[in-house]
């Protein structure tokens, strides 16, 4: 849980989520109703979920979402047994046993995060995401305000016709965000899991501004594809070379990590912290 909370904390978007004193808090929208969701560590291997603003009937759907976001259904023993055959991964697993691959809260939100993170730092991407939320997100319902969270993440319709370059990003990236919003409006299940991952990746890469890195990262972070790996990721390359020397090649080393390359990536990212 500490490593996962650290990962989430570095990627919190201002106005919609925080990590404070070991508690992850975020805003959400369910069927037009706003809510505050809090997740913290409980006793043993349990998590504690606190919800404000939603009726009890929504709880089964919400619990399933939280289980997915925190990867509670992951078969960690199987992952670590196979991934640990690689000496580097064995070291990283020993340092952070039980590490999971957290998933995005919402498919459209995660897609926007991914595009905003193209070729810039995590901190820079979150700054842009905060501006996007402040400008185009819906204000959080008044009864739920008061803990520093102010909005819910924008819907595709709110940004599809906007010139997002005014938020301080290159026009090409702004155009990609608008293109993706339009694609989601036209094809609502575009970002949902499909039986054929390769077909899903090819479809996504047909969109302007979406290349293999973005598609693979979305597969890893949103679809929960256990073998997805964004090979061009600068942080992954940096982590590997810090651990195995400047000549280490991610594509070559990753062959030994299949079919759990997403978990290998999470361990490499975590090693940088």
């Amino acid at each position: 849980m500490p490593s996962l909370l650290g990962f989430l904390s570095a990627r919190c978007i201002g106005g919609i989520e925080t990590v404070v004193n070991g508690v992850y808090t975020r805003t959400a929208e369910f069927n037009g109703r706003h809510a505050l969701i809090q997740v913290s560590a409980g006793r043993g291997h349990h998590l504690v979920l606190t919800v404000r603003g939603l009726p009890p009937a929504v709880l089964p759907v919400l619990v399933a979402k939280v289980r997915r976001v925190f990867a509670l259904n992951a078969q960690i023993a199987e992952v670590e047994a196979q991934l640990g055959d690689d000496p580097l991964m064995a070291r990283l697993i020993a340092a952070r046993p039980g590490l999971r691959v957290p998933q995005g809260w919402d498919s459209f939100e995660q897609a926007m995060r991914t595009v905003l993170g193209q070729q810039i730092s995590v901190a820079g991407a979150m700054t842009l995401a905060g501006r996007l939320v402040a400008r185009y997100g819906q204000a959080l319902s008044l009864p739920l305000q008061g803990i520093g969270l102010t909005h819910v993440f924008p819907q595709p319709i709110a940004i599809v016709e906007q010139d997002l370059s005014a938020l301080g990003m290159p026009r090409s990236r702004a155009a990609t965000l608008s293109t993706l919003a339009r694609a989601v409006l036209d094809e609502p299940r575009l970002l949902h899991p499909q039986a054929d991952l390769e077909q899903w990746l090819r479809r996504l890469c047909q969109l302007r501004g979406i290349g293999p890195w973005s598609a693979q990262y979305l597969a890893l972070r949103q679809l929960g594809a256990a073998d997805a790996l964004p090979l061009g990721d600068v942080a992954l390359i940096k982590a590997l070379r810090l651990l195995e020397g400047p000549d280490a090649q991610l594509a070559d080393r990753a062959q030994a990590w299949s079919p759990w390359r997403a978990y290998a990536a999470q361990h490499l990212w975590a090693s940088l912290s």
Side-chain angles (χ1 to χ4, degrees), residues 20-268:
V20 178
N21 296 327
V23 179
Y24 174 70
T25 305
R26 71 159 294 136
T27 65
E29 182 176 350
F30 286 85
N31 299 324
R33 299 186 63 157
H34 291 178
L36 279 178
I37 313 298
Q38 291 186 309
V39 182
S40 58
R43 293 182 177 179
H45 297 290
H46 294 84
L47 296 181
V48 176
L49 172 63
T50 305
V51 185
R52 291 172 54 193
L54 293 178
V58 179
L59 289 180
V61 174
L62 178 59
V63 168
K65 181 183 281 286
V66 170
R67 289 188 64 85
R68 187 186 63 80
V69 170
F70 286 82
L72 298 187
N73 296 329
Q75 303 299 313
I76 293 298
E78 179 182 359
V79 172
E80 293 186 346
Q82 295 187 35
L83 201 57
D85 287 339
D86 179 86
L88 171 61
M89 286 298 134
R91 287 164 47 202
L92 295 180
I93 289 168
R96 293 178 177 83
L99 186 68
R100 299 165 190 264
V101 181
Q103 305 299 301
W105 180 265
D106 171 82
S107 60
F108 179 68
E109 177 186 314
Q110 185 58 57
M112 296 293 101
R113 288 173 178 265
T114 299
V115 173
L116 288 169
Q118 291 175 343
Q119 299 179 338
I120 62 173
S121 67
V122 170
M126 293 308 97
T127 295
L128 291 175
R131 294 172 186 169
L132 181 73
V133 165
R135 182 77 62 90
Y136 301 109
Q138 188 177 5
L140 188 64
S141 300
L142 284 174
L144 299 177
Q145 292 183 2
I147 60 171
L149 303 184
T150 57
H151 292 77
V152 293
F153 196 83
Q155 295 295 312
I157 193 65
I159 68 173
V160 68
E161 300 294 344
Q162 305 297 330
D163 179 9
L164 300 180
S165 63
L167 299 178
M169 70 185 78
R171 287 193 175 275
S172 59
R173 191 166 306 149
T176 300
L177 293 172
S178 298
T179 295
L180 195 49
R182 171 56 63 192
V184 169
L185 288 172
D186 292 343
E187 191 178 342
R189 295 193 62 81
L190 173 67
L191 301 175
H192 291 206
Q194 296 181 6
D196 189 335
L197 177 60
E198 291 303 319
Q199 181 179 349
W200 185 89
L201 291 168
R202 287 194 297 271
R203 170 68 184 95
L204 213 61
C205 287
Q206 291 173 359
L207 300 176
R208 176 184 177 185
I210 302 294
W213 178 88
S214 297
Q216 287 282 342
Y217 189 83
L218 265 177
L220 179 155
R221 191 65 65 213
Q222 186 57 39
L223 300 191
D227 206 32
L229 181 67
L231 283 174
D233 190 271
V234 173
L236 290 180
I237 295 170
K238 176 183 177 181
L240 179 63
R241 291 180 176 175
L242 285 173
L243 291 163
E244 292 197 333
D247 295 328
Q249 298 297 315
L250 182 60
D252 293 339
R253 289 294 284 111
Q255 294 179 31
W257 306 332
S258 189
W260 306 111
R261 294 187 301 174
Y263 289 86
Q266 193 67 37
H267 275 287
L268 288 171

